[in-house]
Amino acid sequence: MNAQTAILKKDITPEGGDYEVVRRAIEKISLDYRDQPSLEILAEEVGETPTGLQKLFTRWAGLSPKAFLQAVTLDHARKLLDSGMPLLEASFEVGMSGPGRLHDLFVTHEAMSPGDYKTRGAGLTIRYGYHISPFGIALIMVTDRGLAGLAFSDAGDERAAFADMSGRWPNATYVEDMAATAPYAARIFDPALWRADQPLRVVLIGTDFQVRVWEALLRIPMGKACTYSSIAAGIGAPSASRAVGAAVGANPMSFVVPCHRALGKSGALTGYHWGLTRKRAILGWEAGQVGS
């Protein structure tokens, strides 16, 4: 099945609305964080009682709405950047599954050759499936060598997410196979399964420069962040901050290759391919994981 004819064969709209409620609360927090909106105001915005929202939000994020609000402010983002370049340099020394990756996914990766990338996926079979995740509907794409893509969408936007992802490798053969992708969904989104002795296999499909940037992103531990300029310096291209930004934006594996941990120099949450609300959601969720 090719990218032009692929369809979603089954309804995977989530039962219940936890993420939808959380997303709306996060949007309110994102727009009005300087005013420090109260729990009562947030609850009214999303049509919940204050107690109901407190319980739902804490169950989802591991943080109360108030603590989440603190975790997505500019001040908090600046604290994530405090370690700056030395953190990234140190991570290159310890390797991607070293002690510095406590609380992280424990990823082992390989990259396809530049020749493979230039064929735009020709000869490659990519299996895909849609799964419910803490950050909306996740489109997961795998090859026989490991995870190749992870995108997010809201209900109703699944086909657009597929078109975006499949357009990166238009000559590949696409097969909808949720049985093949389900183990990846379980492994990625359940921290209890993040084990160093069972690393997540990832295959990076991009240009040589993109792969170098994505490898640098993999070295940023949960609860930390780096600027685009730090990443550029870390890969030996200190004048290529803009190109690094483009490579970060082209990352095909949201969350796993943590492009959400790339911030502007001031700590500002700059553009994110799957939306700034989702970037804030992921950073806040990670803050809850680290805190627990």
Side-chain angles (χ1 to χ4, degrees):
M1 182 179 297
N2 63 34
Q4 285 68 41
T5 60
I7 59 172
L8 177 61
K9 295 179 181 176
K10 62 188 295 185
D11 180 10
I12 49 81
T13 302
E15 296 181 2
D18 280 14
Y19 178 70
E20 176 59 23
V21 172
V22 167
R23 182 185 64 79
R24 287 161 56 203
I26 291 170
E27 285 181 342
K28 179 69 173 176
I29 289 170
S30 301
L31 291 170
D32 299 340
Y33 74 89
R34 291 182 181 84
D35 297 329
Q36 299 286 296
S38 67
L39 178 62
E40 289 72 21
I41 290 174
L42 290 173
E44 182 179 359
E45 178 75 15
V46 301
E48 287 278 346
T49 65
T51 300
L53 178 60
Q54 179 90 354
K55 289 181 178 179
L56 184 154
F57 203 102
T58 303
R59 180 174 69 246
W60 176 85
L63 294 171
S64 68
K66 182 177 180 180
F68 185 94
L69 173 62
Q70 295 169 344
V72 297
T73 63
L74 187 60
D75 286 344
H76 178 77
R78 286 170 177 153
K79 290 176 183 176
L80 296 183
L81 291 170
D82 277 350
S83 298
M85 190 57 217
L87 167 70
L88 198 57
E89 288 177 339
S91 69
F92 275 90
E93 295 299 323
V94 302
M96 286 196 299
S97 293
R101 292 190 64 79
L102 181 65
H103 296 301
D104 222 333
L105 270 163
F106 297 106
V107 171
T108 180
H109 80 284
E110 62 175 301
M112 295 190 75
S113 72
D116 289 332
Y117 173 72
K118 287 179 181 178
T119 67
R120 312 290 303 280
L124 189 66
T125 297
I126 297 179
R127 301 183 182 275
Y128 69 95
Y130 297 85
H131 302 270
I132 305 307
S133 84
F135 315 110
I137 297 168
L139 168 59
I140 293 178
M141 294 182 158
V142 302
T143 72
D144 57 0
R145 293 159 68 178
L147 180 72
L150 170 56
F152 292 112
S153 75
D154 296 320
D157 295 331
E158 297 91 349
R159 287 177 177 81
F162 182 86
D164 172 44
M165 292 295 288
S166 60
R168 300 162 190 251
W169 314 297
N171 296 327
T173 298
Y174 291 88
V175 178
E176 185 173 352
D177 187 351
M178 290 183 66
T181 55
Y184 286 88
R187 169 70 172 78
I188 291 165
F189 297 114
D190 184 355
L193 300 179
W194 296 357
R195 295 173 51 182
D197 62 336
Q198 295 181 4
L200 176 68
R201 291 191 305 122
V202 167
V203 57
L204 303 177
I205 308 174
T207 66
D208 178 65
F209 183 82
Q210 286 174 330
V211 168
R212 287 163 59 202
V213 171
W214 300 339
E215 287 174 336
L217 292 173
L218 279 167
R219 293 181 170 96
I220 306 173
M222 183 182 290
K224 298 293 182 183
C226 279
T227 63
Y228 299 101
S229 57
S230 292
I231 294 170
I235 64 171
S239 62
S241 294
R242 184 165 295 183
V244 164
V248 169
N251 168 34
M253 268 180 276
S254 180
F255 187 70
V256 171
V257 176
C259 49
H260 56 277
R261 298 178 196 159
L263 306 179
K265 276 189 176 181
S266 68
L269 274 63
T270 52
Y272 185 61
H273 191 75
W274 291 275
L276 282 178
T277 295
R278 191 166 275 111
K279 183 170 185 171
R280 290 184 176 94
I282 295 173
L283 287 171
W285 185 88
E286 287 189 343
Q289 297 298 316
V290 172
S292 64

